[in-house]
Amino acid sequence: MGNVFPENFLWGASSSAFQIEGAWDEDGKGLTVADYNSFRKSHIQADTKVASDFYHNYEEDIDLMKELGMKTYRFSLSWARIIPDGEGEVNRKGIEFYNKVINKLIKNGIEPFVTLYHFDLPFALVEKYNGWESRKTVEAFHRYAKICFKEFGDRVKYWQPHNEQNLIVRIEERINIYDEEDKWKIDKMRAQMDYNMCLAHALAVNSCHEMIEGSKIGAAVSSSVTYPMTCKPEDVYAARMNDNFKVYYMLDMHYYGEYPGYYIKYLKERNIMPYMKDEDKPILKSAKMDFIAVNYYRTNCAEALPVDETHEFGVREGSVDFNMYGLFKMSMNPRLKATEYGASIDPSGLRVALNEYWQRYHLPLIITENGLGTPDILEDGKVHDSYRIDYLRNHIKACELAIEDGVEMLGYCPWSFMDLLSSAQGFKKRYGLVYVNRTDDDLLDMKRIKKDSFYWYQKVIANNGKLD
Ligand code: BG6
């Protein structure tokens, strides 16, 4: 097969601030929601205090990125490192740190691809405003975004406002809901936070375009591709609605500046319509994304879930893969193999997702996350992760097929460049191309060790995606 990847294709790898940086309170950084949530589990697994210690090792780590041949590095800035309480004084040490990272990347020919907010809202905004529930947080985010555009926009052209807004709002601890038990109240708060994040996204998109000439900005979506459990029409509808409620209600808002009808109907029937101002409409409508960033790990199945005596329409059950009464019930696909952490492995689902996003929005796509989480084994100083190579090969192949289908793709960044703190499972679950020698409870020597997948991916990049 010929090589279909464009010449300037952005081969890269990804990470996020709270998962790699460590130095959680160093040089003035403030506490974040991600810190707070990880400290609640410190007794059972690694937390954000040290993580992969990128804060102190960024030079060596970027040297490894260069050795890998990366054309881009997708990473996030920690809002609370730059503005410790989210809305007050700017911490120059935070700006200095990211300047050093960005300059080193550029010096090594690596395009910085920056996310502004990856699950780590400054905790002070939770204490003051209940986080995203308040418009004060929208204002604070907009100010933070503009500070970043001003400070880094001369060198950073690619931006993502939020990472996976559509996933953040499903996980209560990520939206700082801890003790509330009333499901209706939770759904009401969630709907308001979700809307406010859409507004914050739109404000950032517009300011980015105003402030940085030639900039490109787009949403990073947690993908959902859902197969009907059977060919019963109600199951087919359930699968469609699951994708709508997990992905498209949000992408439609980002793209068209308004929620789709089925989502408005849900908000009304559940009586949780968020507060929206008339003056938001032109902002939401004018914000034009330049690309969609796709984070893809797995697919699922869905079947119909009728309402019953105790569950009315729109009541949710679960979090990441929630069921919704009156619409859909999720399950794993019995025809697919899964990772030991329960993610179905489905490269052909990636081809479906890429075609879907392209056909719906005709915006170029970049994969900013795709990877296999496993407890790798270090043997004689080596990590033989042939399973990761298979996973990446099959997913890159799916990108190739999607490009042949006519999809415009800008790049591919596996998750993750190096081992990092899993968003839920500490350090045991590893995704990296580079092994970090620590465990959940022992920092060992934190040495960086190139896995077999590193050498394999290095060749893929050198050959512009031609697979062996
Ligand atoms: C994505 C997140 O949803 O999934 C990453 O953007 C996360 O931050 C990744 O690490 C994998 O999930 P987990 O829970 O295995 O770390």
mmCIF file with all atom_site columns, all heavy atoms in Angstrom, residues 78-90:
data_model
loop_
_atom_site.group_PDB
_atom_site.id
_atom_site.type_symbol
_atom_site.label_atom_id
_atom_site.label_alt_id
_atom_site.label_comp_id
_atom_site.label_asym_id
_atom_site.label_entity_id
_atom_site.label_seq_id
_atom_site.pdbx_PDB_ins_code
_atom_site.Cartn_x
_atom_site.Cartn_y
_atom_site.Cartn_z
_atom_site.occupancy
_atom_site.B_iso_or_equiv
_atom_site.pdbx_formal_charge
_atom_site.auth_seq_id
_atom_site.auth_comp_id
_atom_site.auth_asym_id
_atom_site.auth_atom_id
_atom_site.pdbx_PDB_model_num
ATOM 1   N N   . SER A 1 78 ? -0.890  24.154 33.006 1.00 0.00 ? 78 SER A N   1
ATOM 2   C CA  . SER A 1 78 ? -1.657  24.108 34.249 1.00 0.00 ? 78 SER A CA  1
ATOM 3   C C   . SER A 1 78 ? -2.093  25.536 34.579 1.00 0.00 ? 78 SER A C   1
ATOM 4   O O   . SER A 1 78 ? -1.263  26.392 34.881 1.00 0.00 ? 78 SER A O   1
ATOM 5   C CB  . SER A 1 78 ? -0.785  23.536 35.365 1.00 0.00 ? 78 SER A CB  1
ATOM 6   O OG  . SER A 1 78 ? -1.413  23.781 36.600 1.00 0.00 ? 78 SER A OG  1
ATOM 7   N N   . TRP A 1 79 ? -3.397  25.746 34.496 1.00 0.00 ? 79 TRP A N   1
ATOM 8   C CA  . TRP A 1 79 ? -3.994  27.068 34.776 1.00 0.00 ? 79 TRP A CA  1
ATOM 9   C C   . TRP A 1 79 ? -3.502  27.578 36.140 1.00 0.00 ? 79 TRP A C   1
ATOM 10  O O   . TRP A 1 79 ? -3.096  28.740 36.268 1.00 0.00 ? 79 TRP A O   1
ATOM 11  C CB  . TRP A 1 79 ? -5.503  26.848 34.726 1.00 0.00 ? 79 TRP A CB  1
ATOM 12  C CG  . TRP A 1 79 ? -6.431  27.985 34.943 1.00 0.00 ? 79 TRP A CG  1
ATOM 13  C CD1 . TRP A 1 79 ? -6.147  29.248 35.380 1.00 0.00 ? 79 TRP A CD1 1
ATOM 14  C CD2 . TRP A 1 79 ? -7.844  27.950 34.715 1.00 0.00 ? 79 TRP A CD2 1
ATOM 15  N NE1 . TRP A 1 79 ? -7.306  29.981 35.454 1.00 0.00 ? 79 TRP A NE1 1
ATOM 16  C CE2 . TRP A 1 79 ? -8.362  29.223 35.053 1.00 0.00 ? 79 TRP A CE2 1
ATOM 17  C CE3 . TRP A 1 79 ? -8.739  26.960 34.266 1.00 0.00 ? 79 TRP A CE3 1
ATOM 18  C CZ2 . TRP A 1 79 ? -9.725  29.518 34.964 1.00 0.00 ? 79 TRP A CZ2 1
ATOM 19  C CZ3 . TRP A 1 79 ? -10.086 27.257 34.179 1.00 0.00 ? 79 TRP A CZ3 1
ATOM 20  C CH2 . TRP A 1 79 ? -10.567 28.522 34.523 1.00 0.00 ? 79 TRP A CH2 1
ATOM 21  N N   . ALA A 1 80 ? -3.471  26.685 37.143 1.00 0.00 ? 80 ALA A N   1
ATOM 22  C CA  . ALA A 1 80 ? -3.097  27.115 38.501 1.00 0.00 ? 80 ALA A CA  1
ATOM 23  C C   . ALA A 1 80 ? -1.592  27.324 38.669 1.00 0.00 ? 80 ALA A C   1
ATOM 24  O O   . ALA A 1 80 ? -1.148  27.823 39.695 1.00 0.00 ? 80 ALA A O   1
ATOM 25  C CB  . ALA A 1 80 ? -3.585  26.105 39.528 1.00 0.00 ? 80 ALA A CB  1
ATOM 26  N N   . ARG A 1 81 ? -0.800  26.912 37.679 1.00 0.00 ? 81 ARG A N   1
ATOM 27  C CA  . ARG A 1 81 ? 0.636   27.243 37.725 1.00 0.00 ? 81 ARG A CA  1
ATOM 28  C C   . ARG A 1 81 ? 0.816   28.678 37.212 1.00 0.00 ? 81 ARG A C   1
ATOM 29  O O   . ARG A 1 81 ? 1.713   29.392 37.627 1.00 0.00 ? 81 ARG A O   1
ATOM 30  C CB  . ARG A 1 81 ? 1.442   26.247 36.856 1.00 0.00 ? 81 ARG A CB  1
ATOM 31  C CG  . ARG A 1 81 ? 2.894   26.178 37.232 1.00 0.00 ? 81 ARG A CG  1
ATOM 32  C CD  . ARG A 1 81 ? 3.671   25.169 36.407 1.00 0.00 ? 81 ARG A CD  1
ATOM 33  N NE  . ARG A 1 81 ? 3.512   23.778 36.792 1.00 0.00 ? 81 ARG A NE  1
ATOM 34  C CZ  . ARG A 1 81 ? 3.938   23.242 37.935 1.00 0.00 ? 81 ARG A CZ  1
ATOM 35  N NH1 . ARG A 1 81 ? 4.521   23.973 38.841 1.00 0.00 ? 81 ARG A NH1 1
ATOM 36  N NH2 . ARG A 1 81 ? 3.735   21.958 38.185 1.00 0.00 ? 81 ARG A NH2 1
ATOM 37  N N   . ILE A 1 82 ? -0.071  29.060 36.306 1.00 0.00 ? 82 ILE A N   1
ATOM 38  C CA  . ILE A 1 82 ? 0.025   30.391 35.698 1.00 0.00 ? 82 ILE A CA  1
ATOM 39  C C   . ILE A 1 82 ? -0.741  31.427 36.536 1.00 0.00 ? 82 ILE A C   1
ATOM 40  O O   . ILE A 1 82 ? -0.272  32.533 36.749 1.00 0.00 ? 82 ILE A O   1
ATOM 41  C CB  . ILE A 1 82 ? -0.477  30.315 34.236 1.00 0.00 ? 82 ILE A CB  1
ATOM 42  C CG1 . ILE A 1 82 ? 0.520   29.471 33.431 1.00 0.00 ? 82 ILE A CG1 1
ATOM 43  C CG2 . ILE A 1 82 ? -0.641  31.695 33.623 1.00 0.00 ? 82 ILE A CG2 1
ATOM 44  C CD1 . ILE A 1 82 ? 0.142   29.195 32.016 1.00 0.00 ? 82 ILE A CD1 1
ATOM 45  N N   . ILE A 1 83 ? -1.928  31.024 37.008 1.00 0.00 ? 83 ILE A N   1
ATOM 46  C CA  . ILE A 1 83 ? -2.719  31.905 37.887 1.00 0.00 ? 83 ILE A CA  1
ATOM 47  C C   . ILE A 1 83 ? -3.154  31.038 39.077 1.00 0.00 ? 83 ILE A C   1
ATOM 48  O O   . ILE A 1 83 ? -4.152  30.310 38.993 1.00 0.00 ? 83 ILE A O   1
ATOM 49  C CB  . ILE A 1 83 ? -3.961  32.465 37.158 1.00 0.00 ? 83 ILE A CB  1
ATOM 50  C CG1 . ILE A 1 83 ? -3.560  33.091 35.816 1.00 0.00 ? 83 ILE A CG1 1
ATOM 51  C CG2 . ILE A 1 83 ? -4.692  33.489 38.050 1.00 0.00 ? 83 ILE A CG2 1
ATOM 52  C CD1 . ILE A 1 83 ? -4.722  33.440 34.915 1.00 0.00 ? 83 ILE A CD1 1
ATOM 53  N N   . PRO A 1 84 ? -2.402  31.067 40.168 1.00 0.00 ? 84 PRO A N   1
ATOM 54  C CA  . PRO A 1 84 ? -2.616  30.092 41.241 1.00 0.00 ? 84 PRO A CA  1
ATOM 55  C C   . PRO A 1 84 ? -4.048  29.999 41.765 1.00 0.00 ? 84 PRO A C   1
ATOM 56  O O   . PRO A 1 84 ? -4.535  28.909 42.039 1.00 0.00 ? 84 PRO A O   1
ATOM 57  C CB  . PRO A 1 84 ? -1.642  30.554 42.326 1.00 0.00 ? 84 PRO A CB  1
ATOM 58  C CG  . PRO A 1 84 ? -0.556  31.255 41.570 1.00 0.00 ? 84 PRO A CG  1
ATOM 59  C CD  . PRO A 1 84 ? -1.209  31.899 40.392 1.00 0.00 ? 84 PRO A CD  1
ATOM 60  N N   . ASP A 1 85 ? -4.745  31.132 41.870 1.00 0.00 ? 85 ASP A N   1
ATOM 61  C CA  . ASP A 1 85 ? -6.132  31.032 42.349 1.00 0.00 ? 85 ASP A CA  1
ATOM 62  C C   . ASP A 1 85 ? -7.135  31.126 41.198 1.00 0.00 ? 85 ASP A C   1
ATOM 63  O O   . ASP A 1 85 ? -8.321  31.335 41.407 1.00 0.00 ? 85 ASP A O   1
ATOM 64  C CB  . ASP A 1 85 ? -6.414  32.108 43.406 1.00 0.00 ? 85 ASP A CB  1
ATOM 65  C CG  . ASP A 1 85 ? -6.441  33.510 42.796 1.00 0.00 ? 85 ASP A CG  1
ATOM 66  O OD1 . ASP A 1 85 ? -6.142  33.646 41.584 1.00 0.00 ? 85 ASP A OD1 1
ATOM 67  O OD2 . ASP A 1 85 ? -6.763  34.464 43.517 1.00 0.00 ? 85 ASP A OD2 1
ATOM 68  N N   . GLY A 1 86 ? -6.646  31.016 39.991 1.00 0.00 ? 86 GLY A N   1
ATOM 69  C CA  . GLY A 1 86 ? -7.532  30.949 38.833 1.00 0.00 ? 86 GLY A CA  1
ATOM 70  C C   . GLY A 1 86 ? -7.911  32.287 38.237 1.00 0.00 ? 86 GLY A C   1
ATOM 71  O O   . GLY A 1 86 ? -8.198  32.373 37.047 1.00 0.00 ? 86 GLY A O   1
ATOM 72  N N   . GLU A 1 87 ? -7.952  33.340 39.057 1.00 0.00 ? 87 GLU A N   1
ATOM 73  C CA  . GLU A 1 87 ? -8.449  34.613 38.515 1.00 0.00 ? 87 GLU A CA  1
ATOM 74  C C   . GLU A 1 87 ? -7.642  35.833 38.982 1.00 0.00 ? 87 GLU A C   1
ATOM 75  O O   . GLU A 1 87 ? -7.920  36.946 38.555 1.00 0.00 ? 87 GLU A O   1
ATOM 76  C CB  . GLU A 1 87 ? -9.914  34.808 38.909 1.00 0.00 ? 87 GLU A CB  1
ATOM 77  C CG  . GLU A 1 87 ? -10.114 34.834 40.414 1.00 0.00 ? 87 GLU A CG  1
ATOM 78  C CD  . GLU A 1 87 ? -11.556 35.155 40.833 1.00 0.00 ? 87 GLU A CD  1
ATOM 79  O OE1 . GLU A 1 87 ? -12.404 35.418 39.972 1.00 0.00 ? 87 GLU A OE1 1
ATOM 80  O OE2 . GLU A 1 87 ? -11.797 35.132 42.049 1.00 0.00 ? 87 GLU A OE2 1
ATOM 81  N N   . GLY A 1 88 ? -6.659  35.618 39.860 1.00 0.00 ? 88 GLY A N   1
ATOM 82  C CA  . GLY A 1 88 ? -5.940  36.766 40.431 1.00 0.00 ? 88 GLY A CA  1
ATOM 83  C C   . GLY A 1 88 ? -4.608  37.011 39.743 1.00 0.00 ? 88 GLY A C   1
ATOM 84  O O   . GLY A 1 88 ? -4.513  37.019 38.507 1.00 0.00 ? 88 GLY A O   1
ATOM 85  N N   . GLU A 1 89 ? -3.576  37.151 40.575 1.00 0.00 ? 89 GLU A N   1
ATOM 86  C CA  . GLU A 1 89 ? -2.257  37.510 40.043 1.00 0.00 ? 89 GLU A CA  1
ATOM 87  C C   . GLU A 1 89 ? -1.645  36.429 39.161 1.00 0.00 ? 89 GLU A C   1
ATOM 88  O O   . GLU A 1 89 ? -1.811  35.239 39.427 1.00 0.00 ? 89 GLU A O   1
ATOM 89  C CB  . GLU A 1 89 ? -1.301  37.733 41.215 1.00 0.00 ? 89 GLU A CB  1
ATOM 90  C CG  . GLU A 1 89 ? -1.658  38.981 41.931 1.00 0.00 ? 89 GLU A CG  1
ATOM 91  C CD  . GLU A 1 89 ? -0.446  39.745 42.439 1.00 0.00 ? 89 GLU A CD  1
ATOM 92  O OE1 . GLU A 1 89 ? 0.703   39.266 42.290 1.00 0.00 ? 89 GLU A OE1 1
ATOM 93  O OE2 . GLU A 1 89 ? -0.680  40.817 42.961 1.00 0.00 ? 89 GLU A OE2 1
ATOM 94  N N   . VAL A 1 90 ? -0.903  36.887 38.177 1.00 0.00 ? 90 VAL A N   1
ATOM 95  C CA  . VAL A 1 90 ? -0.182  35.947 37.315 1.00 0.00 ? 90 VAL A CA  1
ATOM 96  C C   . VAL A 1 90 ? 1.124   35.568 37.998 1.00 0.00 ? 90 VAL A C   1
ATOM 97  O O   . VAL A 1 90 ? 1.828   36.420 38.531 1.00 0.00 ? 90 VAL A O   1
ATOM 98  C CB  . VAL A 1 90 ? 0.087   36.596 35.937 1.00 0.00 ? 90 VAL A CB  1
ATOM 99  C CG1 . VAL A 1 90 ? 0.968   35.708 35.087 1.00 0.00 ? 90 VAL A CG1 1
ATOM 100 C CG2 . VAL A 1 90 ? -1.231  36.876 35.221 1.00 0.00 ? 90 VAL A CG2 1
#
